[in-house]
């Protein structure tokens, strides 16, 4: 079990995430066509591409929601390909959703405590009877969750219902909830979509801080090129489900295929 | 209570003050329980019986609100699991050749053991259904669960050795360590004889309070959060590490056990079980109860179940003095029909205008947080000061 | 062999009626994502109107008026939820229909009282010998009418602007809106169609050898719910397949007198068949499979 020390997690062993020839088809439509890339430990890896390029599908394959027709996803020694989502989550792969998937009626703390689900044990009987072990567990993990909330700058909004927070704050709760899983790989799905310049700057700062202080890998899907080019170590470009380029931000920006995909026929509203 | 604010501030440290503010509602609850406990001293047997049925219904409804309200899994099978508990108790505790000349037999176990076994069997039957319950989304489960009600009706009439068939069977009285809950060994409390119904009343009240606390604790705990997230988004729950199928199965089993317990209580209150009681209408009544009370709210389920169960009985009892109500079978609106119309209307109005039900309405009126229909209290019991900012 | 054919023909007749009911249920779900638990009561409403009018007006007129009332009733339900609950979750909508079901069936039960009313159909207890099997005339007509209605439905579903909008809407509500399809009219039509199919089904569900109609027909109508589920809640073809499967299974177990624990199994066979199918295919035989796995 991950230690709940009072210092931010320092991920001892962050394994690489390796996608090899991942192919996904829905009813004849190929959403991902033999996509391969590797997220190296401790790096920020961005996945970009026009709408419908297959970025979200790739996320869904990594987190186990979609099963891939061919290919494999490995996280260190673990083969994720056939695992159900909760197993993958418990291996240390956490995800912040693009379209906020918080329980709006629950408070910030309660939402973050959900992130601890895989790290805690209390079942129906133990919590129903309020056995001391369940109470202790709640207190211990509650404390850790408060640290995480403070880390992302939500320390003063802990007991507010998530649904009543501002959009920017809700996005941060998403990230905090994923961090509450004590992940070794963080999947961020369009973390700054729909944000104003101020909120964007705060989120970019938070991502940089996560990487610097926690040392975990981050796989990022984002449309905001400023953010992507600013914080990524490597960038993979998808178009129509195929990987068309990969490299450092600088390399990718000048790649003729990429320019064509973004400016040419591939562009969609 | 605002008096606490005017107390000399020096005498009360901040933390204690904070705790004291929660007290009034807790006091009110203890007061309510005390009031219910002494009620048998003042009301007649007719009202006592109505109260017993209402308490049985409240326990069962709490189970349903966990399943439907908190976990978002619609079920119409609740009547079936009540029947499993009720017949289970009657079978385990009953003895062969008991009065009533029905074909029903029994194992003649100790009533307390029989009750526990009946609840476990209800849970086990719920578990048997879980390959279906755990894989279907809420709404599919709603229709699939209909099947249990009808398969149940078939079984009640045909598995005669357990159920006694169409005419039903007797359920033996409860006893605790040899002390019988019957009129035979009547106590006298404050000048009032405490017979079968009075004793059952006190027993039911204890069971009810414990069921209530257990459910509230579950909803506030780890599994409660998991199921509420699952209701809002199965994908989000799964990605956060919740085993969705297992949680669904678990909630279904828990809810079945609550129904089973409610069923045992029905058996004890009624003393006799007939198949017609456990019909689809009973399931629908429970659904109406938890919707009117406020989905996912344990307190709301209690209030809703009380109205839906006691309502028809009370209307029937006082029908002669109520306008528009006619005697049963006369073609007008008898008690059952009038109550059904009332709660049907209440369901429609609640869904349309106050989705939080009575619980939501209550929260609004008392000015508590409005965004929450489900209101588990803050997470940790210890009001630890927040270390951040 | 004769027995078998007899049971088969009767099963097809019963299954066709279930198919009509299940189809209405599915159409409503496809159009609006509402699982309409009031569908059985709407069927009883249509049947009640037909039976009340029997004798006063020609049978065909009574049926048409019954269809009209059931359709109007269904559309009122649609208006009610779309007035307040357009974006609510499916459970809230289903619960609303349960509330309406309580109201409708309570009032209809009161109106029927202890009576079983004849539907006034012109076929009486006549039995036709088809050579291979004997069947009540009413049931034979039922098969014919059901076939005509089903063909008409699928033609409309495929070619009419309503059907195209229905299919487009079910696949992508946004695209349909962009195409200028008026959601309101499409969903109202879907509910009206469901009401009409239910009222027609009521006639054949209560024809000979059934003595007539009373509120308990809702119970019989509910057996079409498993038909819809086992076919796939969002599949129109599945509703027909499911209806026939359940009708035939029921007629066969009833005909051969298959008994379980001393009871006639045919009463519960629809539900048993549904459970078995759901164990193997959680979204039904022809329903859309979930893309996601959790």
């Amino acid at each position: 079990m991950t230690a709940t020390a009072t210092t931010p997690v320092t991920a001892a062993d962050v394994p690489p995430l390796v996608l090899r020839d991942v192919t996904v088809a829905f009813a004849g439509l190929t959403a991902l066509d033999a996509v391969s890339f590797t997220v190296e430990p401790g790096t920020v890896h961005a996945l970009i591409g026009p709408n419908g390029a297959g970025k979200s599908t790739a996320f869904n394959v990594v987190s186990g929601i979609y099963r891939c027709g061919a290919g494999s996803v490995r996280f260190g020694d673990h083969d994720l390909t056939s695992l159900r989502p909760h197993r993958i989550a418990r291996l240390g792969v956490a995800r912040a959703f693009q379209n906020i998937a918080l329980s709006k009626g629950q408070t910030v703390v309660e939402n973050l405590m959900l992130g601890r689900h895989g790290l805690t044990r209390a079942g129906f009987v133990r919590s129903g009877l309020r056995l001391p072990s369940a109470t202790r567990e709640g207190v211990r993990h509650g404390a850790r969750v408060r640290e995480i909330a403070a880390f992302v700058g939500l320390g003063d909004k802990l007991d507010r219902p998530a649904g009543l927070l501002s959009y920017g704050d809700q996005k941060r709760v998403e990230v905090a909830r994923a961090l509450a899983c004590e992940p070794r790989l963080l999947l961020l799905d369009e973390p700054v979509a729909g944000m104003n310049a101020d909120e964007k700057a705060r989120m970019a700062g938070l991502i940089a801080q996560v990487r610097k202080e926690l040392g975990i890998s981050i796989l990022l899907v984002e449309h905001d090129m400023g953010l992507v080019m600013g914080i990524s170590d490597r960038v993979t470009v998808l178009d129509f489900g195929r990987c068309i380029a990969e490299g450092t931000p600088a390399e990718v920006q000048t790649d003729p295929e990429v320019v064509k995909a973004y400016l040419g026929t591939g562009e969609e509203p | 209570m605002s008096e606490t604010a005017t107390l000399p501030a020096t005498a009360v440290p901040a933390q204690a003050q904070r705790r004291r503010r929660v007290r009034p509602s807790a006091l009110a609850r203890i007061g309510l329980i005390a009031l219910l406990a002494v009620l048998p001293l003042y009301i007649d047997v007719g009202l006592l019986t109505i109260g017993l049925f209402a308490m049985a219904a409240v326990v069962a409804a709490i189970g349903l609100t966990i399943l439907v309200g908190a976990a978002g899994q619609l079920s119409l099978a609740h009547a079936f699991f009540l029947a499993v508990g009720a017949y289970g108790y009657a079978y385990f505790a009953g003895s062969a050749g008991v009065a009533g000349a029905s074909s029903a037999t029994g194992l003649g176990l100790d009533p307390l053991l029989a009750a526990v076994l009946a609840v476990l069997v209800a849970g086990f039957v719920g578990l048997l259904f879980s390959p279906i319950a755990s894989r279907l989304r809420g709404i599919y489960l709603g229709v699939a669960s209909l099947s249990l009600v009808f398969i149940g009706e078939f079984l009640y009439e045909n598995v005669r050795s357990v159920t006694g068939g169409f005419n039903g069977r007797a359920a033996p009285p409860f006893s605790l360590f040899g002390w019988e809950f019957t009129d035979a060994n009547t106590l006298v409390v404050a000048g009032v004889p405490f017979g079968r119904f009075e004793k059952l009343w006190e027993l039911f009240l204890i069971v009810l309070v414990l069921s209530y606390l257990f459910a509230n604790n579950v909803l506030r705990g780890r599994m409660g959060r998991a199921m509420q997230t699952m209701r809002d988004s199965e994908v989000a729950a799964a990605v956060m590490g919740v085993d969705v199928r297992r949680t669904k199965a678990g909630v279904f089993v828990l809810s079945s056990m609550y129904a089973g317990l409610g069923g045992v209580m029905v058996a004890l209150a009624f003393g006799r079980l007939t198949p017609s009681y456990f019909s689809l209408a009973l399931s629908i009544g429970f659904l109406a109860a938890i919707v009117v009370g406020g989905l996912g709210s344990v307190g709301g389920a209690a209030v809703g179940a009380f109205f839906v169960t006691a309502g028809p009985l009370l209307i029937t009892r006082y029908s002669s003095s109520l306008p528009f109500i006619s005697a049963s079978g006369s073609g007008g609106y008898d008690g059952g029909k009038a109550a059904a119309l009332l709660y049907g209307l209440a369901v429609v109005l609640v869904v349309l205008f106050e989705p939080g039900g009575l619980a939501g309405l209550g929260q609004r009126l008392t000015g508590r947080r409005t965004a929450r229909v489900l209101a588990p209290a803050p997470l940790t019991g210890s009001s630890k000061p927040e270390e951040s900012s | 062999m004769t027995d078998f054919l007899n049971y088969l023909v009767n099963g097809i007749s019963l299954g066709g009626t279930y198919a009509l009911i299940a189809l209405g249920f599915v159409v409503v779900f496809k159009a609006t994502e509402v699982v309409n638990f009031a569908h059985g009561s709407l069927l009883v409403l249509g049947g009640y109107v037909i039976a009340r009018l029997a004798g006063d007006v020609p049978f065909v007129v009574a049926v048409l008026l019954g269809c009209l009332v059931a359709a109007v009733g269904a559309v009122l339900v649609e208006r009610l939820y779309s007035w307040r609950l357009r974006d609510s979750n499916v459970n809230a909508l289903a619960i609303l229909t349960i509330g309406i079901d309580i109201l409708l069936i309570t009032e209809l039960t009161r109106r029927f009282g202890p009576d079983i009313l004849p539907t006034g159909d012109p076929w009486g207890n006549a039995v036709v010998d088809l050579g291979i099997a004997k069947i009540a005339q009413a049931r034979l007509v039922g098969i014919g009418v059901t076939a005509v209605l089903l063909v008409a439905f699928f033609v409309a579903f495929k070619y009419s602007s309503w059907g195209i909008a229905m299919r487009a809407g079910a696949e992508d509500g946004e695209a349909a809106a962009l195409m200028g399809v008026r959601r309101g009219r499409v969903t109202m039509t879907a509910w009206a169609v469901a009401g009409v199919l239910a009222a027609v089904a009521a006639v054949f569900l209560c024809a000979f050898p059934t003595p007539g109609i009373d509120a308990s027909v809702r119970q019989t109508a509910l057996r079409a719910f498993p038909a819809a589920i086992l076919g796939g809640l969002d599949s129109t073809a599945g509703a027909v397949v499911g209806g026939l499967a359940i009708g035939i299974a029921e007629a066969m177990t009833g005909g051969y007198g298959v008994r379980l624990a001393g009871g006639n199994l045919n009463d519960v066979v629809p539900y048993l068949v549904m459970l078995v199918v759901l164990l193997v295919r959680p979204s039904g035989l022809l329903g859309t499979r979930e893309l996601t796995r959790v």
Side-chain angles (χ1 to χ4, degrees), chain A residues 51-101:
Chain A
N51 277 323
K55 306 180 298 285
S56 293
T57 308
F59 260 33
N60 282 334
V61 169
V62 174
S63 42
I65 294 166
Y66 290 167
R67 205 182 275 266
C68 52
S72 71
V73 183
R74 295 189 66 81
F75 188 51
D77 296 334
H78 297 280
D79 185 1
L80 307 187
T81 322
S82 60
L83 292 184
R84 282 168 59 207
H86 70 278
R87 307 275 320 159
I88 294 174
R90 291 175 191 191
L91 290 173
V93 178
R95 172 173 179 181
F97 289 87
Q98 173 205 349
N99 48 350
I100 297 162

Side-chain angles (χ1 to χ4, degrees), chain B residues 187-337:
Chain B
L187 292 173
V188 178
V189 180
V192 177
F194 252 53
R196 172 174 167 231
F197 292 109
E198 287 83 1
K199 290 180 204 161
L200 279 179
W201 177 285
E202 304 300 341
L203 175 71
F204 279 20
L205 188 59
I206 293 168
V207 172
L208 173 62
V209 170
L210 294 179
S211 310
Y212 184 100
L213 292 175
F214 188 92
N216 252 335
N217 289 341
V218 166
L219 287 184
R220 286 172 194 189
R222 170 173 175 265
M223 297 313 281
R225 286 187 297 269
M227 62 177 98
Q228 286 165 55
T229 309
M230 193 175 79
R231 173 198 60 195
D232 296 339
S233 163
E234 287 188 1
V235 167
V239 167
M240 297 323 288
V242 177
D243 185 342
V244 169
R245 274 190 230 162
R246 205 184 145 139
T247 306
K248 276 186 189 174
V251 179
F252 198 80
V253 169
L254 180 67
S255 153
S256 307
M257 291 173 76
Y258 265 92
L261 182 56
V264 173
M265 293 164 79
V266 165
L268 293 174
F270 210 32
R272 190 157 186 88
L273 298 170
T274 47
S276 57
Y277 181 78
F278 304 101
S279 66
L280 180 61
L282 184 67
S283 283
I284 289 181
F286 277 116
L287 213 49
I290 61 169
V291 169
V292 171
L295 278 176
S297 154
V298 177
V303 177
F306 175 79
F307 279 122
V308 169
T309 316
L313 300 169
L314 289 172
I315 292 176
T316 308
R317 184 179 153 115
Y318 297 109
S319 59
S320 54
S321 45
L322 288 171
F324 309 119
I325 308 296
S326 58
S328 184
S330 66
Y333 295 98
D334 59 33
K337 291 201 187 74

Side-chain angles (χ1 to χ4, degrees), chain B:
Chain B
M1 241 170 259
S2 53
E3 287 98 298
T4 36
T6 61
L7 282 173
T10 45
V12 189
Q15 191 145 332
Q17 212 171 28
R18 194 169 167 204
R19 284 198 173 172
R20 188 158 295 188
R21 234 179 294 149
V22 245
R23 279 252 170 93
S25 71
L27 272 180
R29 270 176 215 162
I30 292 169
L32 178 66
I33 294 167
L35 182 72
L36 286 172
V38 298
L39 218 48
L41 298 175
Y42 302 102
I43 60 178
D44 63 43
V45 168
L47 284 178
L48 273 180
T49 320
I50 292 176
L52 292 180
F53 276 115
M55 286 197 264
V58 168
V59 169
I62 289 173
L64 192 62
T65 209
I66 296 176
L67 180 67
V68 182
Q73 293 284 91
L74 192 62
S75 170
L76 286 165
H78 223 51
F80 171 73
F81 289 104
L82 254 93
V84 172
Y87 283 120
Y89 170 76
Y91 178 73
F92 289 131
S95 51
V98 87
S102 71
S103 46
T105 60
L107 300 182
L109 300 178
D110 176 74
L112 177 61
L113 179 62
V116 172
L117 282 179
V119 172
L120 291 178
V121 167
F124 180 70
V125 175
L127 188 66
L128 289 183
F129 192 63
S130 70
I132 289 178
S134 68
R135 291 203 297 170
L136 298 190
R137 253 168 228 255
I139 204 71
Y140 282 74
L141 180 63
V143 186
S145 63
L146 266 179
S147 59
L148 289 184
V149 174
F150 294 111
I151 291 171
E153 285 186 346
F154 174 82
L155 295 175
Y156 317 145
E157 299 217 351
N158 293 304
V159 189
R160 296 209 180 84
S161 58
V162 176
T163 65
F166 180 77
N167 293 317
R169 69 173 292 165
F174 196 67
S175 76
L176 210 51
F177 310 116
W179 193 67
E180 287 208 334
F181 284 63
T182 57
D183 291 330
N185 52 352
T186 299
L187 292 173
V188 178
V189 180
V192 177
F194 252 53
R196 172 174 167 231
F197 292 109
E198 287 83 1
K199 290 180 204 161
L200 279 179
W201 177 285
E202 304 300 341
L203 175 71
F204 279 20
L205 188 59
I206 293 168
V207 172
L208 173 62
V209 170
L210 294 179
S211 310
Y212 184 100
L213 292 175
F214 188 92
N216 252 335
N217 289 341
V218 166
L219 287 184
R220 286 172 194 189
R222 170 173 175 265
M223 297 313 281
R225 286 187 297 269
M227 62 177 98
Q228 286 165 55
T229 309
M230 193 175 79
R231 173 198 60 195
D232 296 339
S233 163
E234 287 188 1
V235 167
V239 167
M240 297 323 288
V242 177
D243 185 342
V244 169
R245 274 190 230 162
R246 205 184 145 139
T247 306
K248 276 186 189 174
V251 179
F252 198 80
V253 169
L254 180 67
S255 153
S256 307
M257 291 173 76
Y258 265 92
L261 182 56
V264 173
M265 293 164 79
V266 165
L268 293 174
F270 210 32
R272 190 157 186 88
L273 298 170
T274 47
S276 57
Y277 181 78
F278 304 101
S279 66
L280 180 61
L282 184 67
S283 283
I284 289 181
F286 277 116
L287 213 49
I290 61 169
V291 169
V292 171
L295 278 176
S297 154
V298 177
V303 177
F306 175 79
F307 279 122
V308 169
T309 316
L313 300 169
L314 289 172
I315 292 176
T316 308
R317 184 179 153 115
Y318 297 109
S319 59
S320 54
S321 45
L322 288 171
F324 309 119
I325 308 296
S326 58
S328 184
S330 66
Y333 295 98
D334 59 33
K337 291 201 187 74
L341 286 179
L342 281 179
Y343 71 67
L345 192 64
V347 168
V348 172
L349 292 179
V350 162
V351 175
L352 288 177
F353 299 107
E354 181 59 68
L358 293 175
L361 198 65
Q363 276 183 24
R364 200 120 51 92
L365 293 180
T366 55
R368 277 164 63 192
R369 282 179 291 189
T370 50
R372 325 183 59 199
V373 176
L374 290 161
L379 182 88
T380 47
S382 73
S383 32
K384 219 173 143 189
E386 286 145 20
E387 58 265 59
S388 57
S389 53

